[in-house]
Amino acid sequence: MCGIIGYTGKDIAVPILLGGLERLEYRGYDSAGVALLEGDKLFIKKRAGKIRELVRSLWGKPLKGKTGIGHVRWATHGEPTEDNAHPHTDSKGEFAVVHNGIIENYLEIRKELEEEGIKLSSDTDTEVIAHLISKFYKGDLLEAVLEAVKRLSGAFAFAVISSKEPGRIVGVKEGSPLIVGIGEGENFLASDIPAILPYTKKIIPLNDGEVADVSPEGVNIYDFSGNPITKEIMIVPWDLISAEKGGFKHFMLKEIYEQPKAVGDTLKGFVSKESVLPIDLREFRRLIIVACGTSYHAALIGKVWIERFVNIPVEVIYASEFKYGHTPLSPDDIVMGISQSGETADTKFSLQSVKEKGVKTIALVNVVGSSIDRESDFSIYTHAGPEIGVAATKTFSAQLAALYSLAAFYSMEREALFKKVSSVPMKIEKALEGAEHIEVISEKYMKAKDFLYLGRYLNYPVALEGALKLKEISYIHAEGYPAGEMKHGPIALIDENMPVVCVAPKDRVYEKMLSNIEEVRARKGKVISIGFEGDGTLKELSTEFIEVPSVEEELTPFTTTLPTQLIAYFIASKLGLDVDQPRNLAKTVTVE
Ligand code: M6R
């Protein structure tokens, strides 16, 4: 949902901004732009399209400015044109703003500005910020920003520079993510850590309602009333290599192959712990999990584990449906938000609404210091490292590792369960050895118009996740369904053109799955099955058979997920699509 970066320091800003934007491009990629302080003037360049268009447009330009801001956009208000690309300026071109989020009352402000004779030049909600700051400017950028912020409602983060105050950047956070990076004689602002990782690991994540006044000499943080705030510096545990492709064609493929490590590291984070939370999960009447997309699918699997091993009821609700719903809550309930980014607006706002009712919250996030992490009463973490591909892969497996560990931890069989799961990273590695075979199968079916994904019990969410992966990166319509529900309607869709991915490891519902597969065969559907190695019966029933190593039934999602990720990856890649940055999507969804 848009990425922003700011740099002020001893070096020429433009390469730092462009490099940072490239690492933020996963957040939005329909247009990009930079604003630089060149002497006492603002230089602005923006382009519709991917960041390479912006880079090309800057070739050969003798830019020397050492302060600047940059933006990659995921359009909310206004088409992805050059006019609507950020940065946006005031009428005199003295203030430039880059923004992530939505200014909900922008129409009202726009009308007011127009009545005052100001001509706006874009359809965006952002432009009003630049005009407001210009209007309130009386010689101090910070004061003008604080005044402008009083007029804004919505969820937003923005950064502003002015030709009137070289070397200074002011950044504001209210609802969308913004971090400050602390360097030597240089400082940064960014939507996310990878943007500034080559320069510093020292960061200060801003909270909502905070403003950072950034110059090469230092950073001061204030609340929206202008009161100074003291904040601690955090050291990021990631290195730059983990945010680069490392020889793989796409981030997604690299991240698929990083799953043994992501799972292993996440498990390690739990196994040695005396307590994983400062509360006992078993003392609560009910656990509610709110999440979106892939994190929601991980939650569905977590529900089965927690109900089975801890014996407390778990409800899983889409975060986008929860906040405006009527789920009764009591202090005996506890609500967990799962989010790899820790910034997803739907999840964050759901947890905030829960806290307002006095109910305790737990975050399960991959990004330490993210908004959801900071705002929750308790946090647990996945240790997947940065995930850049828009399609979540290694963070999903890491979420499974965390949820399994949580269930194991509060179970009577703690030690036995931890012992069982310890072999999973190796089993994942083994499952990845099947990639070549999966590539061949993917090529055969890449022209299909629709796919069905079927599974039962723990592998029903795996089917949902497989379908989501295929949809989001290959643009092929795919439905995930509980295999037993198929006969209640979707079976009507099956004919000889329909590939049906059937997730059928040998678990308690294996026989039932075989019957469901027979039903697909009877309608001439093409059965692509995922099952345990050496399963001759399943192989016999299938048009294509993909083997994964056999594991105990509760561990099956760790291995059965991999072929579904690889099918999506190979199909999208063979169709020549942009696997890491699929159309219309953004990695971090910071709007409701
Ligand atoms: O950062 P989060 O885990 O909160 O993100 C939730 C979804 O936006 C995310 O899982 C999305 O569905 C992915 N593109 C799936 O691959």
Side-chain angles (χ1 to χ4, degrees):
M1 297 286 113
C2 300
I4 63 183
I5 182 165
Y7 172 79
T8 181
K10 52 190 180 339
D11 291 326
I12 293 178
V14 77
I16 297 171
L17 295 177
L18 292 175
L21 288 180
E22 268 164 14
R23 285 183 294 280
L24 284 178
E25 204 176 15
Y26 69 87
R27 298 178 66 88
Y29 30 84
D30 57 37
S31 56
V34 288
L36 301 156
L37 277 165
E38 291 290 322
D40 58 357
K41 293 259 170 323
L42 276 183
F43 168 89
I44 313 268
K45 183 61 83 180
K46 39 197 197 175
R47 280 285 179 271
K50 296 228 171 198
I51 187 150
R52 57 177 173 264
E53 303 303 328
L54 176 68
V55 173
R56 266 189 213 130
S57 73
L58 288 166
W59 275 347
K61 295 246 173 340
L63 297 166
K64 298 267 183 302
K66 295 183 174 176
T67 300
I69 51 177
H71 189 266
V72 282
R73 181 165 187 248
W74 184 85
T76 58
H77 294 65
E79 286 178 31
T81 59
E82 193 167 313
D83 282 346
N84 289 334
H86 301 212
H88 290 282
T89 61
D90 64 312
S91 313
K92 289 190 240 155
E94 291 173 341
F95 299 88
V97 173
V98 288
H99 160 226
N100 165 211
I102 292 179
I103 307 299
E104 284 170 359
N105 59 339
Y106 87 102
L107 280 175
E108 176 194 317
I109 303 173
R110 190 180 172 105
K111 194 160 163 260
E112 243 175 71
L113 292 167
E114 281 169 346
E115 278 166 9
E116 289 167 18
I118 292 169
K119 255 186 113 213
L120 285 98
S121 54
S122 75
D123 307 320
T124 65
D125 52 338
T126 305
E127 192 185 339
V128 299
I129 307 175
H131 293 289
L132 281 179
I133 293 172
S134 163
K135 175 171 149 180
F136 294 128
Y137 187 76
K138 300 212 169 50
D140 185 272
L141 185 59
L142 177 67
E143 278 173 19
V145 168
L146 289 173
E147 208 47 45
V149 163
K150 286 187 194 153
R151 294 297 325 279
L152 306 176
S153 60
F156 50 83
F158 67 82
V160 54
I161 55 172
S162 169
S163 56
K164 291 173 170 286
E165 303 201 23
R168 196 174 191 188
I169 313 177
V170 177
V172 174
K173 167 164 165 57
E174 176 62 23
S176 299
L178 192 63
I179 57 165
V180 177
I182 308 292
E184 306 272 328
E186 57 184 4
N187 290 304
F188 307 80
L189 279 171
S191 298
D192 200 0
I193 299 163
I196 55 173
L197 211 45
Y199 308 101
T200 183
K201 288 186 174 189
K202 290 186 193 163
I203 64 152
I204 304 175
L206 295 183
N207 284 331
D208 287 345
E210 292 181 349
V211 181
D213 187 359
V214 184
S215 66
E217 297 76 38
V219 175
N220 294 308
I221 315 253
Y222 302 91
D223 65 18
F224 281 0
S225 307
N227 303 309
I229 301 175
T230 310
K231 308 264 298 183
E232 279 196 13
I233 295 178
M234 273 180 48
I235 307 295
V236 179
W238 300 343
D239 56 22
L240 185 61
I241 295 168
S242 53
E244 288 176 338
K245 276 192 208 149
F248 283 88
K249 192 171 168 208
H250 295 104
F251 276 111
M252 182 180 175
L253 191 60
K254 174 180 172 245
E255 288 158 2
I256 288 175
Y257 277 88
E258 282 173 346
Q259 289 177 103
K261 180 164 167 34
V263 168
D265 288 352
T266 303
L267 291 174
K268 266 185 237 147
F270 286 86
V271 173
S272 52
K273 285 258 169 79
E274 294 277 299
S275 66
V276 286
L277 289 168
I279 40 138
D280 190 335
L281 208 52
R282 291 163 294 197
E283 283 168 8
F284 291 86
R285 185 185 65 138
R286 177 175 62 153
L287 171 68
I288 297 171
I289 308 182
V290 291
C292 306
T294 292
S295 297
Y296 173 84
H297 298 151
L300 291 176
I301 295 171
K303 168 186 162 74
V304 179
W305 283 329
I306 295 166
E307 288 184 340
R308 176 166 164 189
F309 298 127
V310 192
N311 198 26
I312 64 169
V314 181
E315 251 186 82
V316 180
I317 306 177
Y318 278 121
S320 53
E321 290 297 314
F322 177 82
K323 187 181 159 195
Y324 302 101
H326 307 281
T327 308
L329 288 173
S330 85
D332 295 345
D333 295 319
I334 187 155
V335 180
M336 176 190 280
I338 305 184
S339 170
Q340 78 77 23
S341 62
E343 300 292 348
T344 298
D346 291 319
T347 311
K348 186 168 93 167
F349 297 147
S350 293
L351 292 174
Q352 283 171 354
S353 72
V354 164
K355 279 192 86 174
E356 281 159 18
K357 293 179 185 137
V359 173
K360 292 271 179 264
T361 57
I362 310 173
L364 170 51
V365 296
N366 193 47
V367 182
V368 178
S370 56
S371 304
I372 292 176
D373 177 22
R374 294 197 310 277
E375 291 174 18
S376 299
D377 294 304
F378 315 107
S379 292
I380 51 176
Y381 302 100
T382 50
H383 298 283
E387 187 175 69
I388 312 290
V390 163
T393 51
K394 64 173 175 172
T395 54
F396 176 71
S397 297
Q399 285 167 345
L400 295 188
L403 289 163
Y404 179 94
S405 299
L406 198 66
F409 194 87
Y410 291 105
S411 143
M412 307 287 278
E413 310 157 58
R414 184 191 298 178
E415 277 186 23
L417 291 176
F418 275 129
K419 190 156 182 274
K420 275 185 197 172
V421 78
S422 62
S423 65
V424 160
M426 194 200 51
K427 300 277 183 184
I428 296 177
E429 240 163 62
K430 187 103 201 306
L432 288 168
E433 286 170 13
E436 261 179 51
H437 174 54
I438 296 171
E439 185 171 2
V440 174
I441 295 174
S442 304
E443 187 146 22
K444 276 199 212 167
Y445 296 92
M446 64 189 247
K447 296 272 163 57
K449 293 267 172 291
D450 304 278
F451 270 71
L452 256 182
Y453 283 71
L454 302 177
R456 300 178 80 122
Y457 186 55
L458 278 162
N459 286 285
Y460 155 53
V462 171
L464 293 178
E465 176 58 10
L468 174 63
K469 284 291 89 89
L470 188 69
K471 276 186 275 214
E472 67 180 335
I473 62 169
S474 74
Y475 319 143
I476 296 173
H477 171 248
E479 294 245 19
Y481 233 78
E485 273 293 301
M486 197 186 47
K487 57 188 176 291
H488 299 290
I491 199 164
L493 294 168
I494 296 176
D495 63 15
E496 66 281 7
N497 299 316
M498 175 74 89
V500 186
V501 179
C502 300
V503 191
K506 285 198 174 158
D507 58 6
R508 68 189 57 206
V509 289
Y510 173 69
E511 300 293 339
K512 301 279 172 216
M513 268 307 291
L514 293 187
S515 308
N516 298 139
I517 289 172
E518 291 284 15
E519 290 156 13
V520 174
R521 277 161 53 88
R523 274 112 196 136
K524 300 196 165 45
K526 302 280 183 295
V527 175
I528 304 172
S529 65
I530 299 171
F532 282 168
E533 59 200 341
D535 185 344
T537 313
L538 184 59
K539 189 172 181 184
E540 189 84 347
L541 291 180
S542 309
T543 324
E544 316 289 346
F545 175 56
I546 300 171
E547 289 189 337
V548 291
S550 68
V551 289
E552 302 210 34
E553 77 162 2
E554 57 267 34
L555 302 175
T556 51
F558 285 108
T559 51
T560 52
T561 299
L562 300 161
T564 67
Q565 295 171 341
L566 286 167
I567 290 171
Y569 172 76
F570 286 127
I571 290 184
S573 160
K574 283 174 191 304
L575 289 172
L577 298 170
D578 193 340
V579 172
D580 286 332
Q581 295 172 351
R583 71 183 181 203
N584 305 341
L585 296 179
K587 182 74 182 163
T588 311
V589 185
T590 52
V591 292
E592 273 190 275

